[in-house]
Amino acid sequence: MLVCAGRAVQRRAQLRADTWNSSDEEDGVPHGAIARPRSRFDPRVVRSRNCANARKAQRAALRRRSERARDEERRRRTEEWERTLMLARASRVVARHNAEAGALRLVSTYHKMLQHGYLAIDIGRPRTLEIHDFMLSAMAGDIITPEFIGLTTFMQQWDLMSRFHSEVDFRAERLQLFPMDGAAKTYPSLAERDRDEAVYVVKSTGTTTLRISRLTVENIFPHILNDE
């Protein structure tokens, strides 16, 4: 027996079909219905996947940018540190060079000042005053020599040598800086100094010529006069 549905039933079935199709388009699920799974080719699925990939690419780009910034900062700090070290080394080299040049210049001036001796009794001569002022400014008051200690005695010896000889010629032909270790072997007192204290020892090689007169014999070699 063939039974045909009435028009009311057909309209209800058509209404349910229309509702099902519209729910798929609006991404909604009608009450009591089961949503159909979306295809991976569905534009909404593709759009969602593209958004996720874009966010992932953005995070990766931010991470790379941050790493580049850290690398750049590390490189900048390294270059700054190396530049600081280079400037410090250059400053030490320049300071040492200036100190060494100053030590050599000081000893050279000493030889030039005393090239023809020193007469303390001739205090009125400008040269004598110049030598006296130089020695006070350049020499330590407790200067040490193998025979005596003190600047006063040192200048007295120069005065005696100059007065008891008719001519004095004191020349330095070569000035050489001594290494600190080598100088400490020659002068043990230097080894007791602070290692951070800059000490420059200058080796002077030259010739001292003294012309002997009767005054020399009378004061330095008086026994020779006994043979006259």
Side-chain angles (χ1 to χ4, degrees), residues 5-25:
R7 292 182 178 179
V9 175
Q10 292 177 357
R11 282 198 299 272
R12 286 195 296 273
Q14 182 65 33
L15 180 60
R16 283 197 297 270
D18 294 341
T19 303
W20 181 276
N21 292 334
S22 63
S23 65
D24 284 346
E25 294 176 359

Side-chain angles (χ1 to χ4, degrees), residues 38-57:
R38 294 174 182 169
S39 170
R40 62 190 182 90
F41 299 107
D42 190 303
R44 286 168 295 183
V45 175
V46 174
R47 185 166 55 251
S48 177
R49 188 162 55 245
N50 289 342
C51 291
N53 292 337
R55 287 192 296 271
K56 187 184 298 182

Side-chain angles (χ1 to χ4, degrees), residues 77-174:
R77 290 184 178 181
T78 301
E79 290 179 352
E80 183 177 354
W81 175 249
E82 290 177 350
R83 184 166 54 252
T84 301
L85 288 179
M86 183 178 64
L87 291 175
R89 289 194 206 99
S91 178
R92 286 195 297 270
V93 169
V94 171
R96 184 176 60 192
H97 174 75
N98 291 339
E100 292 175 352
L104 290 171
R105 185 167 54 251
L106 180 66
V107 177
S108 176
T109 304
Y110 166 76
H111 282 82
K112 290 178 181 178
M113 286 283 186
L114 296 169
Q115 180 177 354
H116 300 297
Y118 168 76
L119 292 172
I121 59 175
D122 195 7
I123 198 67
R125 294 182 58 187
R127 186 68 175 175
T128 301
L129 294 175
E130 186 179 1
I131 294 173
H132 183 266
D133 293 341
F134 169 77
M135 296 299 289
L136 289 178
S137 63
M139 298 293 179
D142 58 348
I143 182 174
I144 300 174
T145 72
E147 290 80 20
F148 51 83
I149 298 176
L151 181 59
T152 301
T153 306
F154 184 78
M155 297 306 296
Q156 288 174 352
Q157 293 299 312
W158 264 107
D159 175 65
L160 292 174
M161 184 177 66
S162 301
R163 280 195 292 118
F164 295 156
H165 293 85
S166 60
E167 185 178 346
V168 176
D169 188 32
F170 178 58
R171 296 178 181 271
E173 299 171 355
R174 182 186 180 191

